[in-house]
Amino acid sequence: MPETANEKKKVIFSAIQPSGTITLGNYLGALQNWVKLQDDYNCIYAVADLHTITVRQDPKAFRQNILDAYALFIACGIDPEKSPFFIQSHVHTHAELAWILNCYTQFGELSRMTQFKDKSQKHADNINAGLFTYPSLMAADILLYQTDLVPIGIDQKQHLELTRNVAERFNSIYGSTFKIPEAYIGQTGAKVMSLQDPTKKMSKSDENVNAWVAILDKPDVIMKKFKRAVTDSDAKVCVGEGKDGINNLIGIMSAVTGKTADEITLEFEGRGYGDFKTAVGEAVIEKVRPIQERFGQLIKNKDYLTEQYRKSAEFALKISQRTLDKVMKKIGYVAK
Ligand code: TRP
């Protein structure tokens, strides 16, 4: 019995919001990693569309963004036959458990979330209750699947910490109910910085569109953005202090080609930044070309997408319902 338990692969859960464009930063930092993890773990992935309405969405664009994100992730290599990949709003247990967890999460805890503070500043005209309780929904996403590991960026670490605290609190009141998840540390994805201010993370909310590259940007646009990337006056292609721009470009080059920073430095010895920027642009274009082609086919194939997200949602519901049932029974709800 313990033997089979040991052999069982660990469960990984992660989700990304369908808030428009997916950037090169999202891809190299998170998605590419998700794809690799599929071989060694039981991965469950979701498009976190319930989270997205904490910021007001235009219905037509929102619907398109959800479908685009779904198709794009598959184009990047998420295989729903291997790793259930569903749309969060299709699986009702998420909203239900989120409500319950809200009642086990303190106002003070949620008030300390830095993302809440940031977002309420940014959207001062719409500081809604959902924005405040967003971490409870994220905790529900994770805890419903008895998740072992959660691959997340540094910006989501505080939310995972809260998830762990709430799960431990629940377990200590009612006895073991939730697996306590851990952050996935291991081969972390590349941290891609802004091409215009390489001390900041690459973000699509950056007002300067030259600061970020979208996976679906046309090749000439990608090239233009790399050619304009901010560098330094040192004119040597190598990693170094005060060379944030070049460090970032080397990081990107390394993440898309698999070459090490040393190999890249050697290759560009005696060559200028202009050459290097063009080479990085070309490498990125080559990397996204097959993804863009696949995306173009998938987005036209509505039947395939529908079949996949329905099958995945069915699976996710089955697994998550078990946890929700257990939780409700422990709290004292009357069985249906
Ligand atoms: N909040 C995450 C983000 O904005 C997305 C997310 C939702 C998530 N649910 C999750 C990530 C569960 C990991 C696990 O990036």
Side-chain angles (χ1 to χ4, degrees), residues 13-17 48 51 134 138 141-142 150-152 156 159:
F13 181 92
S14 202
I16 294 191
Q17 287 197 53
H51 281 91
Y134 176 116
M138 182 162 157
D141 296 343
I142 296 167
V150 189
I152 37 164
Q156 296 297 316
H159 291 160

Side-chain angles (χ1 to χ4, degrees), residues 76-92:
C76 287
I78 302 292
D79 177 1
E81 301 280 356
K82 211 187 307 177
S83 324
F85 175 43
F86 64 93
I87 298 175
Q88 186 188 28
S89 62
H90 291 177
V91 184
H92 59 76

Side-chain angles (χ1 to χ4, degrees), residues 243-256:
K243 292 168 68 79
D244 296 319
I246 287 295
N247 294 346
N248 185 36
L249 292 178
I250 291 178
I252 294 172
M253 190 67 159
S254 169
V256 295

